[in-house]
Amino acid sequence: MNAQTPSIPTAADVDAAAERLKGVAVRTPLVFSPILSELTGGRIFIKPETLQRTGSFKFRGAYNRMVQIAPEQRAAGVVACSSGNHAQGVAAAAKLLGMPAIIVMPNDAPALKRARTIALGAEVVGYDRVTEDRDAIAAAIAARNGAILVPPYDDPHVIAGQGTVGREIVEDLVALGLDLDVVSANASGGGLMAGISLAVKARFPNAQPIVAEPADFDDHARSFVSGVRERNAAPSGSFCDALLAPTPGAITFEVNRLLTGGAVSASDAEVAAAVAFAFLELKLVVEPGGAVALAALLQGRIAAKDKTVVIVLSGGNVEPETYLACLKTL
Amino acid sequence: MNAQTPSIPTAADVDAAAERLKGVAVRTPLVFSPILSELTGGRIFIKPETLQRTGSFKFRGAYNRMVQIAPEQRAAGVVACSSGNHAQGVAAAAKLLGMPAIIVMPNDAPALKRARTIALGAEVVGYDRVTEDRDAIAAAIAARNGAILVPPYDDPHVIAGQGTVGREIVEDLVALGLDLDVVSANASGGGLMAGISLAVKARFPNAQPIVAEPADFDDHARSFVSGVRERNAAPSGSFCDALLAPTPGAITFEVNRLLTGGAVSASDAEVAAAVAFAFLELKLVVEPGGAVALAALLQGRIAAKDKTVVIVLSGGNVEPETYLACLKTL
């Protein structure tokens, strides 16, 4: 597959990504949750991508894209736009591959994510989310340095990399002798959900992937209804700082509109309560943007009774202050 | 094995416990930690028993003991002494087995642990840790009700149940083609470490199990030196509320003095920093008493370079206020 002609990735691309990520990405577990199963009447598993390298699934897609950059091109480095989790994924992949990385990051990105990106060796270039165009800034850097742009979601290699989350879910369920009924993952640009859907539908054609979004940033839900890519009203302001993409990606939407089985959403207060629930009952640190699917399940918006359901916790890079605010809901 | 003649459990008893716990206990994962591996120069895995039913490993031993109570004896229920994690393990097992449970719990036990024990359906009887004798209270309840006492650690069935943690570690390492060099677990009465040692030594005779204790509650370390069971100076006062047993158990010490390869300790401040590290870098919620082995590793007290090391996070039942205090060390 050529970077100049992006196309829809397939389950075979996910298999190839899994080979590239072997021994590099953390093989995250599928953890049965007695308490969620009791609360919902279903058989509920958690896929904690919080335990992934850099604390979110983003490393998978970034590495799968970047390891395919030809050795002679690596010295020029990479550039990426991200408010934090993709930034860390790209930075960690660049460090492993010995490449320089520049991240174009909004000035209102969480300080923790900024600090962790820099700690991984990347250079961070700030911009104003309202008045500046991050894509133009990144394009200028790419042109100046000859650096390769690593998109956060709308790239077949990135989607295939994220799909390894779904491939691992399939492997673990097959080993347990179980079929998958529902898998729900949080969506911003939709890369994680698209990758997961490709992988799980290849093995469980009747499985229902469900997109989870913040209530006021439900571009996927509205796009599924209208059939075209709708935009969110605001460029920022969600409690879920990881889920601020303005609209579904072009490639990801092609996959998601065909393969997903619907969308659910949760309010900021419901997400905060889910973060606190994960602290108290699951003992897993989840960031707001990583807890929307869990919040929707806890609110009864994902039909789980008598079903095998996998909830993906997509990231755990939450600042102590934000975490404290969530725990106050207890 | 007869409850009236306690004896040293074996690896075969751990195998039998694993059969009893199958489909009941959570099969917790073994999670590779890139950051701990980078920091120490070793191959470091985490065994997060925080993800176990009730948030600690204690459910395993309690259930393995209680499921062996004859059906005609179950109506009389069980009684147990515990400051919180064993209490929840016994309560959860009693609920699954349809038995009443009474827990004798110190009045200074964390409110969260008390509340979670009651939420699981157990009755809690309070006592003063300094002026009252919990064993006498429990014995009186057992005599009055005909209830069976479930010891927190000094029981071959309880030890065998905790040993399934070690058995799972062995299974997962074998699947990865790895040998075990070091496994470290937190010790109070020593039941977890004894069970793990039985299981891992059966497969990896050269593996070194290392007991981890709070600095001022290092009864195992002193007992290993003197050869007899030493006592801690204070009955309470550790930041690690889960690790307050006054002395190693009789049975557990017989196992641990033969099989373990030493002891390490960590101060309260080092434990608080480890809890915060687990939040920030591992995305796992750990209570102070569950983080001593991790603290010792982070302090360089467990030789890890070029070794395969497993750190057991034994519990995650930490109150929000205590957690916040730990995060302030960041």
Side-chain angles (χ1 to χ4, degrees):
Chain A
M1 190 177 292
N2 184 310
Q4 270 69 56
T5 56
S7 60
I8 309 290
T10 65
D13 294 322
V14 178
D15 292 341
E19 277 305 308
R20 294 184 197 106
L21 288 170
K22 204 169 183 173
V24 182
V26 173
R27 174 66 169 79
T28 60
L30 191 68
V31 184
F32 178 69
S33 173
I35 184 142
L36 286 173
S37 301
E38 198 176 302
L39 287 173
T40 61
R43 188 186 285 112
I44 316 295
F45 292 88
I46 294 290
K47 177 70 169 173
E49 274 299 292
T50 49
L51 308 183
Q52 186 51 263
R53 210 180 260 273
T54 74
S56 94
F57 71 96
K58 288 285 193 179
F59 172 78
R60 298 179 186 254
Y63 187 87
N64 187 50
R65 172 68 189 88
M66 289 162 64
V67 74
Q68 297 182 68
I69 295 173
E72 65 274 16
Q73 285 190 287
R74 289 188 185 175
V78 291
V79 58
C81 300
S82 168
S83 62
N85 282 336
H86 179 53
Q88 290 172 69
V90 169
K95 191 177 177 186
L96 285 169
L97 294 167
M99 301 171 70
I102 297 177
I103 310 295
V104 182
M105 189 179 285
N107 295 329
D108 64 355
L112 177 72
K113 291 180 174 175
R114 187 185 171 91
R116 286 170 62 89
T117 303
I118 292 169
L120 285 163
E123 180 187 340
V124 170
V125 174
Y127 76 97
D128 184 288
R129 209 190 276 269
V130 177
T131 61
E132 292 186 277
D133 178 352
R134 71 179 193 177
D135 295 327
I137 298 171
I141 292 169
R144 187 182 71 217
N145 297 3
I148 290 179
L149 186 73
V150 183
Y153 46 85
D154 222 8
D155 176 284
H157 306 302
V158 170
I159 295 169
Q162 323 302 31
T164 59
V165 173
R167 195 175 184 276
E168 292 172 5
I169 291 170
V170 168
E171 284 177 347
D172 289 352
L173 288 177
V174 167
L176 292 169
L178 294 172
D179 285 350
L180 177 67
D181 294 311
V182 173
V183 55
S184 186
N186 312 302
S188 182
L192 175 61
M193 190 80 264
I196 288 175
S197 296
L198 288 169
V200 303
K201 284 289 204 179
R203 182 64 170 76
F204 301 115
N206 296 322
Q208 186 188 14
I210 297 181
V211 167
E213 301 177 295
D216 297 328
F217 294 80
D218 61 342
D219 46 314
H220 278 90
R222 288 180 286 111
S223 301
F224 290 153
V225 173
S226 72
V228 297
R229 294 192 291 144
E230 303 289 345
R231 295 183 71 84
N232 289 318
S236 64
S238 171
F239 185 48
C240 302
D241 62 80
L243 307 180
L244 287 174
T247 180
I251 305 174
T252 60
F253 186 61
E254 281 305 298
V255 175
N256 286 326
R257 72 189 186 90
L258 291 172
L259 298 186
T260 59
V264 291
S265 67
S267 70
D268 287 0
E270 290 164 350
V271 168
V275 170
F277 179 93
F279 165 81
L280 191 66
E281 301 290 354
L282 307 181
K283 312 301 180 188
L284 292 167
V285 177
V286 191
E287 65 182 281
V292 184
L294 175 63
L297 179 76
L298 288 170
Q299 296 298 324
R301 292 184 197 128
I302 295 175
K305 193 163 164 51
D306 300 328
K307 292 182 178 172
T308 298
V309 177
V310 174
I311 299 293
V312 180
L313 302 183
S314 47
N317 289 312
V318 54
E319 307 207 277
E321 296 71 25
T322 306
Y323 204 61
L324 171 66
C326 294
L327 297 196
K328 281 188 175 155
T329 66
L330 289 173
Chain B
M1 190 176 292
N2 184 310
Q4 270 69 55
T5 56
S7 60
I8 309 291
T10 65
D13 294 323
V14 177
D15 292 341
E19 277 305 308
R20 294 185 197 105
L21 289 169
K22 204 169 183 174
V24 182
V26 173
R27 174 66 170 77
T28 59
L30 190 68
V31 184
F32 178 68
S33 173
I35 185 144
L36 286 173
S37 301
E38 198 176 301
L39 287 172
T40 62
R43 188 187 284 111
I44 316 295
F45 291 87
I46 294 291
K47 178 70 170 174
E49 274 299 292
T50 49
L51 308 183
Q52 185 52 262
R53 210 180 259 273
T54 75
S56 93
F57 70 96
K58 288 284 192 179
F59 172 78
R60 298 178 185 255
Y63 186 89
N64 187 49
R65 172 68 190 89
M66 290 162 63
V67 74
Q68 296 183 69
I69 295 173
E72 65 273 18
Q73 285 190 286
R74 290 188 184 175
V78 290
V79 59
C81 301
S82 168
S83 62
N85 281 338
H86 179 53
Q88 291 172 70
V90 170
K95 190 177 178 186
L96 285 170
L97 295 167
M99 302 173 70
I102 298 177
I103 309 295
V104 182
M105 189 179 286
N107 294 329
D108 64 355
L112 176 72
K113 290 180 175 174
R114 187 185 172 92
R116 286 171 63 90
T117 303
I118 293 168
L120 285 163
E123 180 186 339
V124 170
V125 174
Y127 77 97
D128 184 288
R129 208 190 277 268
V130 177
T131 63
E132 291 186 278
D133 178 352
R134 71 179 194 177
D135 295 326
I137 297 171
I141 292 169
R144 188 182 70 216
N145 297 3
I148 290 179
L149 186 74
V150 183
Y153 47 85
D154 221 8
D155 176 285
H157 306 302
V158 171
I159 294 168
Q162 321 305 29
T164 59
V165 173
R167 194 174 184 277
E168 292 172 6
I169 291 170
V170 168
E171 284 176 348
D172 289 351
L173 288 177
V174 167
L176 292 168
L178 294 172
D179 285 350
L180 177 67
D181 294 311
V182 173
V183 56
S184 187
N186 312 302
S188 182
L192 175 61
M193 189 80 265
I196 289 175
S197 296
L198 288 169
V200 303
K201 283 290 203 177
R203 182 62 170 75
F204 301 114
N206 297 322
Q208 187 188 13
I210 296 181
V211 167
E213 301 176 294
D216 296 329
F217 295 79
D218 60 343
D219 46 313
H220 279 90
R222 288 179 287 110
S223 302
F224 290 153
V225 172
S226 72
V228 296
R229 294 191 291 144
E230 303 288 345
R231 295 183 71 83
N232 289 318
S236 63
S238 171
F239 184 48
C240 303
D241 62 81
L243 306 180
L244 287 175
T247 180
I251 306 174
T252 59
F253 187 61
E254 281 306 298
V255 175
N256 285 326
R257 72 189 185 92
L258 291 172
L259 298 187
T260 57
V264 291
S265 66
S267 70
D268 287 359
E270 289 164 349
V271 167
V275 170
F277 179 93
F279 165 81
L280 192 66
E281 300 290 355
L282 307 181
K283 312 301 181 190
L284 291 166
V285 177
V286 191
E287 66 182 280
V292 184
L294 175 63
L297 179 76
L298 289 170
Q299 295 298 324
R301 292 184 197 127
I302 295 174
K305 191 162 165 53
D306 300 328
K307 292 182 177 170
T308 298
V309 177
V310 174
I311 299 292
V312 181
L313 302 183
S314 46
N317 289 311
V318 54
E319 307 207 277
E321 296 72 23
T322 306
Y323 204 62
L324 172 65
C326 294
L327 297 197
K328 280 188 175 154
T329 66
L330 289 173

